[in-house]
Amino acid sequence: MPVRVTLDALIVRRGLKARDLAAEIGLSETQMSLFRSGKVKGIRFSTLARLCAALDCKPGDLLDYTYDPADLSIAKDELL
């Protein structure tokens, strides 16, 4: 999937530790690690909002996308 999580780069630029960020926003270290590695299929908007508030950023600062024509042919059961 061409959506990539870029949270690690932001954490490094801010000089933070992922463990401290997870504690600040109420995530377990395991959940934070799974999100950072891109091994999750989704994230709640409330979690995304807490990350953005803690890092003073926008969702686009945490995620990146590279166009892939295959994304237009996603199965109907994968849509909202």
Side-chain angles (χ1 to χ4, degrees), residues 4-69:
R4 289 178 311 285
V5 178
T6 57
L7 177 59
D8 273 342
L10 191 56
I11 288 173
V12 170
R13 281 196 306 261
R14 302 284 166 93
L16 301 172
K17 292 185 178 179
R19 173 184 340 151
D20 297 335
L21 179 60
E24 182 178 346
I25 66 168
L27 280 182
S28 70
E29 289 182 46
T30 300
Q31 290 171 317
M32 177 65 79
S33 177
L34 289 170
F35 179 63
R36 289 172 51 213
S37 68
K39 293 182 180 177
V40 295
K41 290 190 177 206
I43 184 170
R44 293 179 186 270
F45 284 140
S46 58
T47 303
L48 189 58
R50 289 194 316 269
L51 277 168
C52 289
L55 294 169
D56 189 28
C57 68
K58 296 186 178 196
D61 298 327
L62 302 174
L63 302 169
D64 191 28
Y65 174 76
T66 303
Y67 176 75
D68 182 352

